[in-house]
Amino acid sequence: QALLPPGATVIDAGANLGHHTVVMAKAVGPGGLVIAVEPQRLVFQQLCANVFLNGLTNVHAFRCALGATAGGVVHLNPVDYFAPWVNIGDTRVGAGGEAVPVGILDAFQDLEISFIKLDVQGSELAALRGGAATLRRHRPLLFLEIEEPHLRAMGTGTRGGPDPRSGDRGPGAETEHWRSSCPGWSWRSPRSSR
């Protein structure tokens, strides 16, 4: 509740079916706002249905992938949504799947963003780069899902030796690049003051 006070404006990027979106929307209440972003068409439609069925009027849902720059499209890996077992939350940018427009977190920089949940299957660094102005301006709390296999698949792994697919310079290279590309912004603990 302390992270999502009533009246707050928050982002759920990689909203999937909307579990976190619904929890966030109820926490921030009718005076708050939840921006939900989900790229998969069928999953996005379920997200919207979930928001509707929960009677939430404080959620704005957007169907796009998040990247470092706005514009263009990316293709998602194909998914058989009706297979006996499928992890729809494990879909990432790939080839051969549906085309999805690319947006950036900075599209919302005029809103007073206080919290961002980011679960974008290895595209976290690109999404953060596309939100550099928002991060500097509002210094929101960040809740990130980071999985090494997803990062490596996107060419931004953080462990082990260099990733030959990305020209990676080894452990910590992405962190150093992020710091240098976003001067004036630094990570902070949720307990530190704004």
Side-chain angles (χ1 to χ4, degrees):
Q1 191 63 291
L3 298 178
L4 301 169
T9 299
V10 301
I11 295 176
D12 183 2
N16 201 285
L17 302 174
H19 171 77
H20 290 92
T21 301
V22 169
V23 170
M24 291 173 166
K26 289 179 178 181
V28 302
L33 174 65
V34 177
I35 304 295
V37 181
E38 173 54 46
Q40 299 176 76
R41 182 177 50 85
L42 293 178
V43 177
F44 175 78
Q45 292 167 351
Q46 292 175 67
L47 163 68
C48 292
N50 208 357
V51 168
F52 175 78
L53 291 172
N54 279 279
L56 302 170
T57 58
N58 61 342
V59 176
H60 292 240
F62 296 88
R63 182 177 174 250
C64 68
L66 292 174
T69 57
V73 298
V74 294
H75 292 268
L76 301 177
N77 283 329
V79 175
D80 179 359
Y81 291 101
F82 304 102
W85 186 93
V86 63
N87 180 359
I88 59 173
D90 195 30
T91 302
R92 59 181 163 256
V93 173
E98 248 183 317
V100 179
V102 178
I104 56 172
L105 287 171
D106 279 346
F108 308 108
Q109 69 177 306
D110 290 338
L111 301 174
E112 188 69 36
I113 306 296
S114 62
F115 183 88
I116 299 173
K117 176 228 139 201
L118 194 59
D119 178 0
V120 291
Q121 305 311 101
S123 295
E124 287 80 10
L125 184 59
L128 289 170
R129 286 181 179 146
T134 299
L135 297 173
R136 278 193 298 269
R137 183 174 181 181
H138 302 295
R139 298 177 51 84
L141 296 176
L142 300 176
F143 180 79
L144 308 175
E145 179 190 71
I146 303 290
E147 292 186 53
E148 187 66 22
H150 295 311
L151 294 174
R152 287 231 176 252
M154 297 304 295
T156 59
T158 61
R159 288 192 229 152
D163 186 336
R165 295 171 296 172
S166 68
D168 185 358
R169 297 182 312 276
E174 293 82 14
T175 304
E176 289 308 314
H177 177 77
W178 168 248
R179 286 183 188 140
S180 66
S181 64
C182 299
W185 191 84
S186 62
W187 297 99
R188 66 181 178 85
S189 161
R191 291 190 171 94
S192 67
S193 62
R194 287 189 174 225

